[in-house]
Amino acid sequence: MTLAAPAGAAAPQTVELTLLGTTDVHGHIYPTTYFNGDKVEDVGLAKLYTLIKEARAKNPNTILVDSGDMLQGSPLAYYQAKVAKVPGPNPMIQAMNVMGYTVAGVGNHEFNFGLPHLYRSYSEAKFPLISGNIYGLKSEHTYNKKLGTKDKPATVFKPYHITEVAGVKVGIVSFAPPGITIWDKANVEGKITVGDILESAKRWIPEVSKQGADIIIANPHSGLGGKFGPAYSGYSASSGLPPENVGLELARLFPEIDVIFAGHSHQDVPGELTENGVACCQAGKWGEHLAIAHLKLSKQKGKWKVVSKKTETRSTQGVAPAPEILEVSKAAHEATVAYVRSAIAKTSADWDAKLSQVQDTPLIDLINQVQLEATGAQLSSAASFNTEAVLEKGDISIADIASVYPYENNLVAIQITGKQLKEYLEHTANFFNPVKPGLPVINPEVRGYNYDMVVGVDYQIDRSKPIGKRIVKLEYQGKPVRDDQTFTMAMNSYRQRGGGGYEMFQDAPVVYSKEESIRELLIEYLRKRGTIEPQDVFRKNWELLPATR
Ligand SMILES: [Zn+2]
C-alpha cells in the first residue's frame, strides 16, 4: 500500500518490528527430552536461540516473550527442583537471561514445585514476569506487598509490562489458567488465587492503552479454544471456575490487541490466523517451534499505526543448538544425564511387558498402583504403551521408566457408575478379535494404547461372546457390580477426555486433577520406595477367555 503524505508534511515514519514468542518449553534447554538416550531431538532453548538470533540479525527491532510453563516438565527441571541436594540457580532462568527475554508470562506448571521454588527462580530473572489474573491473598504474595480490594485485587506478579522498541511503545499483558487453584491446590491454597482471564483483561488492557502503548501484545498461558479445542480441558465447567482456553475469545473482546502468542494447549498454530483483526499464533511445546509476528507500523498524525501483520511459526527441526546456551546450562545438563542414567530403584525380578495385553501383568499393575495411591480412587485403569518394555533384574533407571511410559499423560480421577464401567470394559474388549480360525487374538485396527486394563474390580473378557457382551464377570469386592453403583476411577487425561472413542466418560465428574505427569509419578514412587518387586503390586484380577498363550 502507498501512504500519501499531505503536501508540506514530513514523510510518514515507518518501522518494522519482529515479535518472537516461545511457550510451554517445559524445562527443555539441550536438544533432548532425556528419555531417548543420546538421540538429538528438536526441543529446547538452545535450538530456539539459534532461530531467535537469526531473526534479530535480520531485524534488530525485536521483542521476545514467553507464554509460560517454563520451569517444569523435563528431568532437568525435576532434578533441579527435587533431587539436587543444593539447588543452584535455576537453569531455565539462567538460559533465558542469556537469550534476552523482554518478558515472560506465568504458566500453571510454574506452581508444581511450590511457591518458594517459583519465587526463588523468578528472583534470578533479568526480565519481568507478568500475569494479570493471579492474585495474592496475603501481602507477602503480592508483587508490591500491598493487598488490593475486592474489585481490584492485588496481583502476585507485575500485571503488565511496557517497553519501547524503535520508538514504539509496546504494552504486554499475560494471564494464567484459573485451574491452578485446582491443579496446585496444595501449593497455593490460602496464598494466591486465579481470576477470570477475560475479566482481568478488562482491567489491564485499557490501563496499558492509557499508559500510552502504541501496540499491545498478549502472551497468555491459555490455548485459543474455539475450533482449536475446548475452553475447558484440565477441569470441567462444573468446578465453577472460569474457562482456561480463551485466546480467540480474548481477540473477540479486545480488538486493540495486535498479536496474541497463545500457550498452554501445546498446539502449533502457525498463522495466518486473525480473529477480529488480532493476529494469533502459538509455538507448540518444548521449544519445537518459535512463533514470529512481523509488524509494519507507520506514524500517522504523531501516532503509530500497524499497517500490516504476518505471523508464522518456525520449526527447530534440524536447527543447530546455540553454543552459548549449551555452555551456560552445561552443569545442569550433565547432572541431569547422570541422574537419568542412575538407579532410582532396585528389583530382584525381570518385569516384562511382552504379554501384558493378553494377561494380567505386574508392570501394568505397577502403573495402576501408582495411580491408585496418588488419587485415592477405588479403581484405576492403564494401557500397555510399549510391549517391548522390560525392567531387568537389578537397577531401574529413569530411562527404563520412560520406555514403560513413553507418553505425556496426566493423571485424573473421575466418578463413574457401574453401568459406565461395563460400557467402558466392553469398549476395551474391542481390542480382541472374535474367536475365528485364522484371526489373530488382537484386532490390528485397535491401537494398543487404546486398550485399558482395570484394577480394583475382578473381570473376565470372553472373546468368544458377541461384541458388547464380552465382559462375562464383573465383581467389586466379591459381589457383582450393579449399574447404579458408583466408583472413583483413576486414569490418564487422554482417556478421560474421550481419546480412543471412550465417550462414556465425557460428563463424568472429575474428582482428582493436578496436572501431574503419570511418568513423573512413577519415577517419584520408585525413587521413594528404593526397591520394588512384582508381588508388591501384582494381583491377578482379570483374564482373557478362552485361555491363550
Ligand atoms: Zn504446558
Side-chain angles (χ1 to χ4, degrees), residues 449-506:
Y449 58 74
N450 282 329
Y451 170 60
D452 286 352
M453 291 156 272
V454 177
V455 302
V457 281
D458 295 282
Y459 63 102
Q460 289 172 331
I461 304 168
D462 188 345
R463 63 187 187 93
S464 69
K465 295 272 190 306
I467 285 171
K469 294 192 160 61
R470 290 162 133 194
I471 305 302
V472 292
K473 183 189 111 173
L474 177 59
E475 293 178 350
Y476 178 70
Q477 295 182 343
K479 287 189 193 120
V481 167
R482 299 187 320 268
D483 281 356
D484 64 349
Q485 241 171 317
T486 60
F487 301 95
T488 50
M489 181 155 81
M491 61 177 57
N492 71 57
S493 46
Y494 170 77
R495 186 70 75 240
Q496 178 250 332
R497 287 172 206 163
Y502 287 88
E503 274 135 32
M504 62 290 291
F505 298 144
Q506 302 244 309

Side-chain angles (χ1 to χ4, degrees), residues 24 26 69 109 221 264 266:
D24 296 87
H26 281 288
D69 274 9
H109 282 289
H221 192 74
H264 186 54
H266 291 198

Side-chain angles (χ1 to χ4, degrees), residues 10 76 84 124 146 190 198-199 245 264 272 335 362 394 401 461 472 522:
L76 179 138
E124 296 159 8
K146 277 192 205 127
L198 302 169
E199 281 303 313
N245 298 311
H264 186 54
E272 307 281 305
I401 298 307
I461 304 168
V472 292
L522 272 165

Side-chain angles (χ1 to χ4, degrees), residues 32 76 82 96-97 144 153 177 193 250 272 288 331 340 343 392 410 412 450 465 534 540 547:
T32 175
L76 179 138
K82 303 267 268 203
M96 290 173 85
N97 283 342
N144 58 6
T193 188
L250 197 61
E272 307 281 305
E288 289 168 345
V340 168
E392 280 170 11
N410 287 339
V412 287
N450 282 329
K465 295 272 190 306
K540 186 167 184 261

Side-chain angles (χ1 to χ4, degrees), residues 245-260:
N245 298 311
V246 294
L248 293 181
E249 194 58 28
L250 197 61
R252 262 174 233 131
L253 293 174
F254 300 95
E256 57 268 53
I257 300 175
D258 294 282
V259 179
I260 293 177

